[in-house]
Amino acid sequence: MNREKRTEIFTRLRDQNPHPTTELEYSNPFELLVAVVLSAQATDVGVNKATARLFPVANTPEAIYALGVDGLKQYIKTIGLFNSKAENIIQLCRMLIELHDSQVPPSREDLEALPGVGRKTANVVLNTAFGHPTMAVDTHIFRVSNRTRIAPGKNVLEVEKRLLKLVPEEFLRDAHHWLILHGRYTCMARKPRCGECLIADLCEYPPSKRPT
C-alpha cells in the first residue's frame, strides 16, 4: 500500500470521527489506567459497568489501596480474571503511592514496571491520557492492519512498529482509536461489513474473500 492510499484512508476516518477516543469511561489518568488493566480479555462495556460502581467509592490510589484485594474484588468480580486483576491493581496503587506521589507516570518504562501493565496498556495510557503518538495494537488493530494491508505484520510488535513508521504524522495521535473502532464495528473478524465500509475501495483485502 502506498502513502497516498494510507493518507486517504485516514483522512476519511478522520472526517467521519474527528475526535476519537477510547470507549472506556474515565475522568482522570488514574481511572483510565485502572480501566485499561481491567479490560484485558474483557469488553469495554463490562469494564464500564464495574468501574461505574467502583469509581464513585474509590478513584485514587489511596482509596483503592484501602479497599484491599478482597474489597476490590467485590466491585470487579463480574470481569474475567478478576482475582489476579485485583491483586495487580492493589500492588499498582501501592507503587504509585510510594514511587510516584500517587500520580500516573507519563513514561513507558515507569508504566510497564507497574503490575498488570504491559506494552499495550502503557501505549493506551500514554496516548489517551498524555497525547503521545503511540499504537496500542490489540486484536482489532492487528486484524485491520493485516487485512487492509495498511501495515501488515506477523505479530503485534511488528504491526505496531510498521504503523508508527507508515501512518502519516498528522494522523498518528488518533490512528489507533480509528483502527480499533473500525475493527470493532466494520472490519469484524468473521463477517466484515465490506458493503458498508468507508474505505472499501482503498482496502487491499482480496475481493474473492469479501462477503457478498
Side-chain angles (χ1 to χ4, degrees):
M1 180 176 288
N2 60 40
R3 181 178 177 83
E4 289 73 24
K5 191 179 284 189
R6 287 190 190 89
T7 299
E8 178 61 21
I9 285 173
F10 285 105
T11 297
R12 292 185 191 181
L13 294 173
R14 181 176 62 187
D15 289 346
Q16 182 190 51
N17 184 4
H19 305 291
T21 189
T22 178
E23 293 186 315
L24 292 170
E25 295 173 359
Y26 71 98
S27 61
N28 58 54
F30 175 70
E31 287 188 359
L32 175 65
L33 175 60
V34 170
V36 179
V37 171
L38 291 174
S39 72
Q41 299 182 45
T43 66
D44 288 359
V45 172
V47 172
N48 289 339
K49 288 180 179 178
T51 57
R53 298 188 296 270
L54 172 64
F55 289 157
V57 174
N59 72 337
T60 65
E62 289 84 357
I64 289 183
Y65 187 70
L67 291 175
V69 173
D70 290 337
L72 178 57
K73 285 181 184 179
Q74 299 308 307
Y75 292 96
I76 65 171
K77 59 186 178 182
T78 55
I79 297 174
L81 307 176
F82 72 92
N83 285 308
S84 60
K85 289 176 181 178
E87 292 177 4
N88 282 335
I89 289 172
I90 292 299
Q91 292 307 311
L92 175 154
C93 289
R94 179 184 61 79
M95 289 180 67
L96 290 180
I97 294 167
E98 293 179 357
L99 302 177
H100 302 289
D101 296 321
S102 299
Q103 300 299 307
V104 176
S107 152
R108 176 187 301 283
E109 182 180 8
D110 288 339
L111 285 168
E112 291 188 13
L114 298 171
V117 178
R119 185 178 183 88
K120 186 177 75 172
T121 295
N123 278 337
V124 173
V125 173
L126 289 171
N127 177 274
T128 306
F130 301 111
H132 295 196
T134 58
M135 290 287 174
V137 179
D138 65 353
T139 55
H140 296 301
I141 293 183
F142 185 78
R143 179 176 65 255
V144 171
S145 296
N146 276 287
R147 185 182 274 169
T148 61
R149 311 302 291 174
I150 288 173
K154 295 178 181 178
N155 54 57
V156 168
L157 184 58
E158 191 173 317
V159 169
E160 177 187 332
K161 290 180 177 179
R162 291 195 60 134
L163 284 168
L164 290 171
K165 178 181 178 181
L166 296 171
V167 174
E169 186 174 358
E170 66 179 297
F171 304 110
L172 269 178
R173 177 171 175 174
D174 293 324
H176 99 265
H177 290 304
W178 287 317
L179 293 173
I180 286 174
L181 294 171
H182 190 68
R184 185 172 289 166
Y185 298 112
T186 303
C187 195
M188 296 174 287
R190 294 186 178 180
K191 292 185 178 180
R193 299 166 64 183
C194 299
E196 304 170 31
C197 179
L198 184 71
I199 59 171
D201 58 314
L202 302 167
C203 176
E204 296 184 0
Y205 190 45
S208 61
K209 295 183 178 180
R210 301 187 188 194
T212 56

